[in-house]
Each structure stands twice: as structure tokens, then as C-alpha cells.
Amino acid sequence: MPDIIELDNVGMSFEKKGGIFRQNKRIDVLRNIDLNIKEGSIVAVVGESGCGKTTVGKIITGLLKPTSGEIRFGGKNLYGFSLTDFSRTRELVQFVQQDSYAALNPVRTIYQSLSAPIRHHYKNYSVAEVDDKINNIMAMVGLTPPEQFLSKFPHMLSGGQRQRILMARAISLEPKLIVADEPVSMIDVSLRLSILNLMNELNEKLGISFVYITHDLATARYIAREGNICVMYLGEIVEYGNVNEVIGFPKHPYTRALISAVPVPDPEVAKREKPIPIKSMEITPLENRPEGCVFFDRCPYADEKCKSRIDYAYVNGVKVKCRKTEELPEWIN
Ligand SMILES: Nc1ncnc2c1ncn2[C@@H]1O[C@H](COP(=O)(O)OP(=O)(O)O)[C@@H](O)[C@H]1O
Ligand SMILES: [Mg+2]
């Protein structure tokens, strides 16, 4: 399958205001991000809060322009597109944000929120055609009968229902890819699975690719199934590859730490996991990110050479940003 989106050595820095002398400082939030999303695939992006996941999601969807590197859509540089092509691409790559309440206009009914982008895109649609489309997408996201929801305002719906409305709006313009940024973290635990299943269904039935952003390994594994997982730490991708290989046989010390820190639903994996003796429980602030390996400060296996530039190693098809993968102690019993 061809790639829909490629991030090629993407970097992002933000200006941080203030400081004691009121001087502004640029902080590199993302560094050397290489990521390919294949048509029809599901990629899970995992990492702790503040590691840059949302920033990656916004770059993929064209909401943020990276400060360095290139982003390609269908093989072509996104920022070389004409305005019309760029707008169309923005429709083909949708962003579903974490906070479903903030994402919907509180003074508009669900019908108004859903019909506006459809009318804007399908300019020659009659009212009946717009309504048809809305009924269709409502059925696809499991909100039936639609009349029960369309005249309501966002606050009258549950978090899970609002999240489904966001999915409906995202699929209304027939996108190729949806970036879902922590879509289940603000909804009831009992409803999470059904939203994850909905994404899997939309992937299977409509062939839409998903980038699923989360801080939670368990849901990442659940949704990626046979797909890829991308583990981020301090603005870098430290490990990327098949989800079963990465979670079953983690290769980067950070991935190991992450896995041993959370209960893994698979008893086989849980049995053989050994906590790694990381040096500090604190995440290093971005301002103090080490120049070489980003995990240097906390890694129990790091040595002097890890202070210089680290290239990716490839182990069983997995990309790992660690020069010591060969020497690390056995993880598997
Ligand atoms: N617009 C912005 N201006 C300045 N700093 C930002 C901006 N957006 C994000 N950041 C910083 O970038 C880092 C990564 O943020 P984010 O991508 O939201 O991480 P995550 O989604 O993994 O929690 C954080 O330190 C955050 O403070
Ligand atoms: Mg985020």
C-alpha cells in the first residue's frame, strides 16, 4: 500500500516567552520525526503527556506547519500545494480532538454542526441530499435514530455520544485519514471500548486510515491490532514498528520502562516483564533535553557514547533509537 502521509525529518520549535530577563527562548518540541502512514493502516502513537503527540497530530493534519523538515501528502510536499489543493487535503486528513465539548459550538445544534461542512463542500447538494448524508453518517457512527440527536445541543449529549458526533463530522467529507487525539481519555471507561471499536469499523468498512494518539499502551495495542505503534519520548520517536513486536519484545529502554509501568492485559507478557531500574521517575524537562540520546539522564544502560548523535537501529523490522539494543540485558525469560 502507498503512503498517504510522510513526515520526513520533521522538527518543531516554539517560542517560549519570559525568563528572568524577559528574553524569549526557542524550545525544540519535536526533533527528527520520520513517520509514514500507509493507506488503510492504523498507527498508534504513544507517549507520556508533554512528549509532543498532539503537535505531531496537528502537523499531520496541516493545522501546524513544522519549523523544519518536509511533510508529503501522496508523495508531494504539502507546503508546495496551491491554496485549493491545500484546503482539499485538509478535508482528506481530519483531526478529532480530545475534548469533544470544546470541539463543538455550544450554541449550535448537532444538525447545524454537521450540516455546515457538508454544505460548504458539496455546494450543489439540495437540502434533502444534505439530510441524507447526515442520516448516513449518523448511522455509521451508531447514533440512531438520528432525529433523537440532531436537534440537541452538545451539552445535552454524553461524552461518548459527542465523541461519535465528532467522528461523524470527521467522516462526512470522506477523508483518507483521521488523526484521533486521545479520543477516549475524557469519556467513561465503560464506553471506551465501543469508541475504539467504532474506529476499527470505520477503518475496515470505509478504508480510512487512523493515527490514534494516546498515553495508554493498552488501548494503543487494542486498536493497532496488527498495525504499527510509535513510541515517543521528549519529542522524538524512540521506537517504531509492529505493535506485537514492540509491546511483546520492547527494544528501547524507555519502551521497556513504559511497559513495566503499566499493567499489560496479556498475562504472558506480564509474566516475563522485568522492571528496568530507571534512574529517575521524573521526565526531563524539554529545555534540558540531552543532545544525544533523549533518554540519557534516566537510562541505566547509558554510557558516554550515548551523549552523541544516535542513529536508528533496525531489529526484527522495528526501528529503535538506541545504540545499545544488542547489549541490553535479556528482557524475555
Ligand atoms: N503552541 C505552543 N506554544 C508553545 N509551546 C507549545 C505549544 N504547543 C505545545 N507546546 C509545548 O510542546 C510540548 C509538547 O506538547 P504536546 O504536543 O501537546 O504534547 P502531548 O500531546 O504529548 O501531551 C509541551 O511542552 C508543550 O508545552
Ligand atoms: Mg496531547
Side-chain angles (χ1 to χ4, degrees), residues 14-16 27 29-30 47-56 58 64 181-182 213 232 286:
F14 289 114
E15 192 92 29
K16 190 178 174 186
I27 295 184
V29 167
L30 297 179
E48 288 161 287
S49 174
C51 71
K53 303 181 297 296
T54 298
T55 307
V56 168
K58 287 187 173 166
L64 266 182
D181 187 8
E182 312 234 17
I213 295 177
M232 287 186 65
L286 270 176

Side-chain angles (χ1 to χ4, degrees), residues 105-114 149-154:
N105 188 331
V107 298
R108 280 190 175 184
T109 62
I110 301 303
Y111 178 83
Q112 289 171 323
S113 285
L114 290 180
F149 304 96
L150 292 174
S151 58
K152 295 201 165 138
F153 289 94

Side-chain angles (χ1 to χ4, degrees), residues 247-265:
I247 291 190
F249 309 92
K251 287 148 191 74
H252 195 285
Y254 175 67
T255 315
R256 290 184 176 198
L258 201 60
I259 289 174
S260 51
V262 294
V264 180

Side-chain angles (χ1 to χ4, degrees), residues 160 164 183-185 187-201 212 216 218-223 225 265:
R164 285 174 190 267
V184 299
S185 65
I187 61 174
D188 216 71
V189 177
S190 60
L191 295 172
R192 287 187 185 166
L193 216 55
S194 70
I195 299 287
L196 297 177
N197 288 340
L198 170 64
M199 289 195 275
N200 274 136
E201 230 176 273
Y212 172 69
D216 170 32
T219 58
R221 181 182 211 193
Y222 183 80
I223 196 151
R225 294 181 178 183

